[in-house]
Amino acid sequence: MVQLVPSLLRQELARLAEEDQRLDGRGRWEARDVTLETDCLYNAEGSAKVVMGGTIVYAGVKFELRTPWPDRPTQGSLMCGAELRPVAGRKYEPGPPSPQSIELSRVVDRGIRESNCIDMESLCIVPGEKVWGVMIDIHVMSDQGNIFDACGLAAIAALRTAVVPAERFDVGEDHKLQVSSTPIMASFTRAGGRFVYDPSEEEELGGDERIHITLGDEGHLHSLQKGLRGVFTPAEFAEIFDVAQKHCAELRKLVAKKEGN
Amino acid sequence: MGGYGDVKLLQEDGLRLDGRKLDEMRPVKIEAGVLPAADGSAMVTHGLNVAVAAVYGPMEAHPRKIQRQDRAVIDVRYNMAPFSTSDRIRPGFNRRSREISKVTAEALESVVLVERYPRSKIRVEIEILAAEAGTRCAGITAAAVALADAGIPMRDLIVGVASGKIEDTVVLDLDKAEDNYGQADLPVGILPNTGEIAFLQMDGDLSPDEYNLAMEYNFKAAKEIHEIMVEALQKRYEGGEA
């Protein structure tokens, strides 16, 4: 569905930006309340529910046995998919995956994959014959802004609490999936001419380009994405990069708390 | 129905594997208004099943060819999340979910006062997050609460319940093992106040007497679930939340 952007909303966002305020009263770099629940889906081997303001996202991890790619006989595989189904909001329509949901899936996937938090060799059972395929499916249930960060957080929390169901597949004992780090995404949208952290639905609707940054444990960059129409300056990036570091570190602590370590 | 005769589903003392009596249903929990983005929503936890329904609308019906001049159309999508079953399901529609969506839509169109909204569409999205036999019934119950939560007028609520047969014995509310190895399953959608039936499916083998007993169990369970549905809606609109 093509959404109309009310010019009144854009004007209001610009006015608020001048006064350094936001529609919902938050500071420019302030996050909404985040709650994280893990082990919440009965049939998933790892699962998480993330609530960020009015945005609700579930992630579930499943495993399958497969034959490895011929050129990588000792490596398992990882797949991350996000579904933007019509349940998520009025603007979403049924049909094959939209470019938007493919972008979301791929950005989340890259952040996790490129951080190398999962050692693909550790997913090997019999070289050349049998490896684990790890699949993370993310289900967006309610979109009220910033689904990227919610999806990224749900995915890594589900992975970090996942148990490999080896007994069910008759290939050894069940064990925790080895995940060596916690990549976290931070997203910014230009609303009223300046960037804000953790954009709300209105800020996304009346805003311009968005930037997604995924950071690893050491603060290293693992994925970047600029989406939608607009340009930004290196100085603007430097500013949001600092903010991203701070928020990613906090969310990483939240995930660690759920794991009980 | 799988109908594998060698799986024991009833214990010596006449109770079922999970300790339930023949006419006992799994625990049911319902919460209304769980999805902020939706006009109405509900989550139903029925045993280990988790069904979430979102309602959007009434809204303009498009494409135009689906419009009805005299009433609203109800567009239902029943979908199982990829992680909802023990083996992952490939995302997207399959024949099973299409059929369930169709008959669920027709059941809901029988209770919603669709003539109040000519040329419009009401979207009902049913997402199954965890499946353990009985998801279509949990989905119907969730959809009914979500419609009520959205303030859409209905003649009655509609309750999804099922009974079936295991080891030649009629039982209420089959769980996964009973569904896999049992002999019959009779899921229905019951209007609790009028006593009418808006949804009906069945597979397996039931004698007329067994059918009658299964239906009796279904009506008993519908009454119990109806109370939980009403409580969930009262909690949402009378207690607490501003």
Side-chain angles (χ1 to χ4, degrees), chain A residues 1 40-46 49 53-56 58-64 79 83 85-94 135-139 141-144 168-169 201, chain B residues 34-39 43 48 50 52-54 56-59 62 75 77-89 91-93 123 125-132 176:
Chain A
M1 192 184 346
C40 49
L41 296 168
Y42 160 68
N43 269 324
E45 269 81 51
K49 176 190 184 185
T55 291
I56 301 178
Y58 285 87
V61 178
K62 297 297 295 180
F63 292 84
E64 68 174 11
M79 190 223 76
E83 280 201 85
R85 296 186 46 76
V87 66
R90 191 175 274 264
K91 66 186 176 202
Y92 295 110
E93 288 177 342
M135 285 158 304
I136 317 163
D137 286 290
I138 307 168
H139 227 60
M141 297 297 289
S142 173
D143 175 5
Q144 293 209 324
R168 185 153 62 86
F169 288 90
E201 196 180 12
Chain B
V34 293
L35 303 177
D39 296 325
M43 177 184 270
L48 294 168
V50 179
V52 179
Y56 290 94
M59 57 174 77
H62 67 93
D75 182 19
R77 255 170 305 281
Y78 162 99
N79 177 63
M80 295 181 88
F83 44 71
S84 64
T85 48
S86 70
D87 290 330
R88 177 177 181 265
I89 306 177
F93 251 179
R123 255 175 55 193
E125 310 289 343
I126 300 170
E127 297 288 337
I128 307 300
L129 299 179
E132 203 243 356
K176 194 172 176 196

Side-chain angles (χ1 to χ4, degrees), chain B residues 108-185:
Chain B
L108 296 175
E109 283 181 348
S110 324
V111 292
V112 172
L113 299 180
V114 284
E115 58 280 6
R116 295 264 188 102
Y117 306 103
R119 289 182 295 281
S120 66
K121 169 171 88 172
I122 298 167
R123 255 175 55 193
V124 178
E125 310 289 343
I126 300 170
E127 297 288 337
I128 307 300
L129 299 179
E132 203 243 356
T135 58
R136 77 194 66 189
C137 291
I140 288 168
T141 305
V145 177
L147 282 163
D149 181 43
I152 291 172
M154 290 183 276
R155 291 200 293 131
D156 199 348
L157 285 169
I158 172 169
V159 191
V161 286
S163 289
K165 184 166 80 167
I166 55 169
E167 294 186 22
D168 296 322
T169 309
V170 175
V171 295
L172 173 62
D173 190 22
L174 303 182
D175 66 19
K176 194 172 176 196
E178 293 170 338
D179 188 37
N180 286 349
Y181 303 110
Q183 297 156 298
D185 188 19

Side-chain angles (χ1 to χ4, degrees), chain A residues 108-161:
Chain A
V108 174
D109 184 291
R110 278 205 294 277
I112 290 171
R113 185 182 302 280
E114 300 302 325
S115 73
N116 285 324
C117 65
I118 293 184
D119 175 9
M120 294 298 162
E121 304 275 341
S122 75
L123 299 174
C124 179
I125 302 164
V126 181
E129 279 179 32
K130 225 186 259 179
V131 295
W132 287 112
V134 184
M135 285 158 304
I136 317 163
D137 286 290
I138 307 168
H139 227 60
V140 181
M141 297 297 289
S142 173
D143 175 5
Q144 293 209 324
N146 198 13
I147 50 176
F148 277 78
D149 287 2
C151 288
L153 185 61
I156 190 65
L159 272 179
R160 290 194 65 94
T161 52

